[in-house]
Amino acid sequence: MDIWKTLYLKAAELYRPEEISPFIYARNVVCALESGSGEIFTGFCVESCGGVLNLCAERAAALNMLLNSGQTKIKRLIAFRDKAPSGGDSGTPCGACREFFMQLNSENRSMEILLDYEKRKTVTLQELLPNWWGDDRF
């Protein structure tokens, strides 16, 4: 089984959209990532009535990686709603997640993000965030 199928299946296990309370909706976006060491970590989104309280699936997976292994480097990432990414901007992390990944580890610029599951088309974080403002701090 190739790594993208493995990541897809791990993330898909978490997909169970649910209303946690009248204010919080969760599990409608899921993510799996492969860390620098090859371990797989997952996460799901938590959306609330207050935008600053939201947590994207991608950052949840990265935080899972950090909390459970201390790692900060990501090799590959897949994120999706009800089906695997299918092209275009499908599967790309939001701006806050892109920024978080870059701040977490400058080597994450080379991480692959899956855009199209069937074609195995990817994009790197560097392509999504060219000329990142924080390079000189690393």
Side-chain angles (χ1 to χ4, degrees), residues 3-4 7 33-39 65 72-77 107-108 110-113 123:
I3 187 62
W4 292 116
L7 291 171
L33 62 80
E34 179 187 11
S35 71
S37 72
E39 292 176 86
M65 175 184 69
T72 59
K73 182 160 179 4
I74 302 166
K75 287 185 190 176
R76 294 178 188 87
L77 179 141
E107 292 181 40
N108 286 338
S110 64
M111 69 187 272
E112 291 182 275
I113 299 162
V123 65

Side-chain angles (χ1 to χ4, degrees), residues 18 26 64 85 88 90-91 107-108 116 118 132-133 136 138:
E18 64 179 312
N64 242 346
S90 173
E107 292 181 40
N108 286 338
D116 190 309
E118 291 301 319
W132 182 61
W133 68 272
D136 58 338
F138 277 108

Side-chain angles (χ1 to χ4, degrees), residues 6-79:
T6 300
L7 291 171
Y8 171 77
L9 292 173
K10 285 289 193 183
E13 291 174 8
L14 299 178
Y15 185 77
R16 290 188 312 275
E18 64 179 312
E19 191 172 302
I20 305 295
S21 77
F23 307 100
I24 297 177
Y25 189 65
R27 296 180 182 267
N28 61 313
V29 178
V30 294
C31 175
L33 62 80
E34 179 187 11
S35 71
S37 72
E39 292 176 86
I40 295 173
F41 296 90
T42 59
F44 58 83
C45 73
V46 179
E47 299 174 355
S48 70
C49 291
V52 297
L53 303 176
N54 294 348
L55 180 60
C56 296
E58 296 92 330
R59 274 181 284 150
L63 289 169
N64 242 346
M65 175 184 69
L66 180 62
L67 291 170
N68 289 295
S69 73
Q71 295 179 76
T72 59
K73 182 160 179 4
I74 302 166
K75 287 185 190 176
R76 294 178 188 87
L77 179 141
I78 183 174

Side-chain angles (χ1 to χ4, degrees), residues 2 4-5 112 114-122:
D2 75 79
W4 292 116
K5 184 169 185 176
E112 291 182 275
L114 192 66
L115 295 178
D116 190 309
Y117 182 73
E118 291 301 319
K119 296 177 183 175
R120 298 303 195 260
K121 182 179 178 185
T122 63

Side-chain angles (χ1 to χ4, degrees), residues 76-137:
R76 294 178 188 87
L77 179 141
I78 183 174
F80 56 92
R81 288 184 184 275
D82 58 338
K83 61 181 182 172
S86 57
D89 287 334
S90 173
T92 60
C94 72
C97 289
R98 295 174 193 189
E99 181 66 28
F100 179 75
F101 297 144
M102 286 296 278
Q103 289 186 23
L104 192 59
N105 187 322
S106 66
E107 292 181 40
N108 286 338
R109 72 183 67 250
S110 64
M111 69 187 272
E112 291 182 275
I113 299 162
L114 192 66
L115 295 178
D116 190 309
Y117 182 73
E118 291 301 319
K119 296 177 183 175
R120 298 303 195 260
K121 182 179 178 185
T122 63
V123 65
T124 65
L125 183 59
Q126 176 69 43
E127 292 173 287
L128 295 175
L129 271 182
N131 305 313
W132 182 61
W133 68 272
D135 278 330
D136 58 338
R137 283 187 162 181

